[in-house]
Amino acid sequence: MISDLRTLIVGSGFSGAVLAERIAAVLGRRVLIIDRRAHVAGNAYDPKDSHGVVIHEYGPHIFHTNAPHVAEYLSRFTAWRPYEHRVRGLVDDEWVPLPFNMTSFEIAFGEVEGRRLIKLLTDEFGVEVKTPILKMRQSASRDVRRIADLIYEKVFLHYTTKQWGLTPEELDTSVSARVPVHLSRDDRYFQDAFQFMPSEGYLPIFHRMLGHPLIEVRTSTSHTDVIGTEPFNHIVFTGPIDEYFDCRHGALPYRSIRFDMRAQPAAEPVQRWTVENYPTPASQHPFTRSTEFRLLTGQTDVDWTTCAYEYPEAYVPGQNEPHYPIPREENRALFRLYEADARKLSSVSFVGRLADYNYYNMDQAVASALACFEKRVAPKLTGIAA
Ligand SMILES: Cc1cc2nc3c(=O)[nH]c(=O)nc-3n(C[C@H](O)[C@H](O)[C@H](O)COP(=O)(O)OP(=O)(O)OC[C@H]3O[C@@H](n4cnc5c(N)ncnc54)[C@H](O)[C@@H]3O)c2cc1C
């Protein structure tokens, strides 16, 4: 009988958890949410390690948003702790603020030369603006083009090559087009209006969202374990879209990361900044960045500290995680084949970073899941007799 059917949600990251919570709380309908990992929370999973240090198992996750409705929605499930993110990068043996800003110029080039370069740039582009390096490279001024080349080399080239295993020329130009110089003294990594970390971490958010009595959570369970074993009134799929279609057009490429978690006894933090970037050649530092979690989470009740060193690597399905879609036009073209297949299925809604083959920040994932609920899933389910 239709009234007994549940909605299946595949994946318990932010995308899946928002859909599950909305279907249960707003529509009063039953949900089964599964995840092939042994835990909920997707990439935002933040357990304690064996020393009691809260870590982000899939990489540092910093919350920031300009979307009031996303902040308001998540605030139902958590209180917040103010946190503004600052990143330093190792450039010529000095730690400079990233993105490159006015202070970075003075550290990297010395105060006098740094100020001269800042004046050249602000005369052309203004102050308190983010100017993409690509735009600087198109300047009529030879000096400005030279600065752009220097920053490109010192900050972007090696980092990008390590991150993607490809040179910038092999990636979409949109990747280098986005790298900005921030003509400002504001050394925060993000300028969003809402910059906070959840005061108890991310996991309690998921436990509250999924704690609704109409929601059943099943971990260590893949979609292939469940689909076909019981009927569902609808499926929300937040996993990799190519996997849903058995990779019939070929596998969508991803980049993966190995996190080397280094723990040590320490009453005080061991890094000067939460995230330290290494835009140096791989021969000098094979990792891209290191993060000290206690500086991010504000945890004070431990006398150990853990830093994650990130080693980007090739994605091998079944062996490591699909972290980042690789930004190349040929990959988007392959995705569009799957997207066309997905549009033909009225019984399945695809949502989330893996189903959209797109990089989303957490707030974008939440916003997209809320929109998916309002526009696609709620109308569909309310059209089915309760
Ligand atoms: C290294 C890294 C750092 C990041 N840092 C930030 C940050 O600082 N700030 C920020 O806002 N965002 C950050 N993000 C982005 C953030 O992780 C995403 O916005 C978020 O994960 C999106 O949620 P999601 O539910 O769409 O996907 P996910 O969190 O990936 O959840 C999808 C879930 O589906 C499960 N799944 C997949 N396929 C199947 C299947 N076939 N069967 C069952 N389960 C399945 C997966 O196991 C996973 O748990 C970062 C991402 C990465 C990779």
Side-chain angles (χ1 to χ4, degrees):
M1 230 172 83
I2 268 177
S3 57
D4 286 336
L5 300 188
R6 301 193 280 186
T7 303
L8 172 66
I9 298 189
V10 179
S12 67
F14 268 112
S15 303
V18 168
L19 261 308
E21 189 277 335
R22 293 287 77 192
I23 293 169
V26 179
L27 304 181
R29 301 293 185 100
R30 296 192 309 135
V31 171
L32 170 63
I33 181 165
I34 61 166
D35 204 295
R36 62 184 171 196
R37 291 173 178 165
H39 57 77
V40 296
N43 275 357
Y45 181 55
D46 56 351
K48 284 186 174 170
D49 68 12
S50 57
H51 304 287
V53 182
V54 174
I55 58 166
H56 292 183
E57 191 152 314
Y58 302 97
H61 275 63
I62 296 123
F63 191 81
H64 56 100
T65 189
N66 270 329
H69 75 293
V70 170
E72 186 279 318
Y73 174 73
L74 288 178
S75 300
R76 299 176 200 175
F77 309 102
T78 184
W80 301 95
R81 183 177 65 81
Y83 174 81
E84 291 185 324
H85 194 50
R86 289 177 170 81
V87 173
R88 293 292 184 279
L90 191 60
V91 173
D92 295 338
D93 297 326
E94 303 273 11
W95 290 105
V96 307
L98 295 180
F100 221 82
N101 65 15
M102 289 183 177
T103 312
S104 318
F105 277 106
E106 290 169 1
I107 298 174
F109 297 98
E111 249 177 64
V112 175
E113 177 62 1
R115 287 207 180 131
R116 191 183 74 83
L117 299 179
I118 291 167
K119 182 160 183 339
L120 270 176
L121 293 174
T122 51
D123 282 352
E124 182 162 344
F125 301 107
V127 283
E128 300 302 325
V129 289
K130 285 187 175 165
T131 308
I133 288 191
L134 210 62
K135 196 168 162 198
M136 287 168 58
R137 284 182 133 182
Q138 288 155 1
S139 167
S141 153
R142 213 167 59 94
D143 272 351
V144 170
R145 292 200 306 273
R146 194 178 59 85
I147 304 169
D149 287 346
L150 270 172
I151 297 173
Y152 178 89
E153 158 94 22
K154 287 181 191 298
V155 177
F156 181 66
L157 174 66
H158 303 298
Y159 194 93
T160 303
T161 309
K162 287 194 277 193
Q163 176 76 7
W164 298 105
L166 296 168
T167 60
E169 291 73 34
E170 292 170 302
L171 294 161
D172 280 356
T173 46
S174 62
V175 178
S176 53
R178 277 200 300 267
V179 181
V181 167
H182 195 189
L183 295 172
S184 168
R185 293 280 166 197
D186 182 352
D187 66 348
R188 295 171 307 161
Y189 199 74
F190 306 110
Q191 274 68 45
D192 289 10
F194 187 97
Q195 302 191 39
F196 289 91
M197 291 292 285
S199 19
E200 301 161 84
Y202 291 103
L203 257 176
I205 299 184
F206 286 85
H207 289 146
R208 286 182 195 121
M209 289 171 94
L210 301 177
H212 194 285
L214 291 172
I215 301 176
E216 182 194 341
V217 180
R218 224 180 272 170
T219 51
S220 304
T221 305
S222 173
H223 73 290
T224 49
D225 300 328
V226 170
I227 293 174
T229 62
E230 67 172 286
F232 297 101
N233 57 18
H234 193 65
I235 296 173
V236 175
F237 192 81
T238 76
I241 191 167
D242 53 339
E243 284 186 34
Y244 184 86
F245 294 103
D246 297 324
C247 298
R248 60 163 80 138
H249 305 297
L252 284 167
Y254 280 93
R255 190 75 171 153
S256 190
I257 302 171
R258 180 171 65 80
F259 295 98
D260 179 15
M261 301 285 183
R262 301 186 193 167
Q264 56 180 293
E268 296 299 322
V270 294
Q271 290 195 173
R272 282 177 69 190
W273 293 282
T274 312
V275 171
E276 296 178 349
N277 274 20
Y278 292 85
T280 41
S283 53
Q284 273 175 44
H285 301 101
F287 39 84
T288 48
R289 59 178 185 170
S290 68
T291 303
E292 185 165 7
F293 291 110
R294 270 173 52 184
L295 291 171
L296 188 57
T297 60
Q299 192 183 7
T300 52
D301 62 350
V302 274
D303 47 12
W304 279 69
T305 196
T306 303
C307 298
Y309 285 75
E310 298 187 25
Y311 293 79
E313 60 184 16
Y315 168 55
V316 185
Q319 281 183 33
N320 53 13
E321 295 290 334
H323 279 112
Y324 296 108
I326 299 180
R328 300 185 80 177
E329 180 42 40
E330 65 201 63
N331 302 342
R332 289 305 298 169
L334 183 55
F335 165 72
R336 283 193 286 272
L337 297 178
Y338 287 111
E339 194 184 28
D341 291 345
R343 263 197 228 109
K344 291 177 201 143
L345 296 181
S346 62
S347 57
V348 187
S349 296
F350 292 84
V351 63
R353 67 178 195 102
L354 297 164
D356 287 349
Y357 193 65
N358 210 344
Y359 180 82
Y360 290 144
N361 281 320
M362 290 177 282
D363 66 322
Q364 295 171 307
V366 170
S368 149
L370 288 170
C372 173
F373 172 74
E374 293 293 340
K375 293 193 187 126
R376 289 189 272 156
V377 175
K380 197 167 287 278
L381 291 180
T382 45
I384 298 171

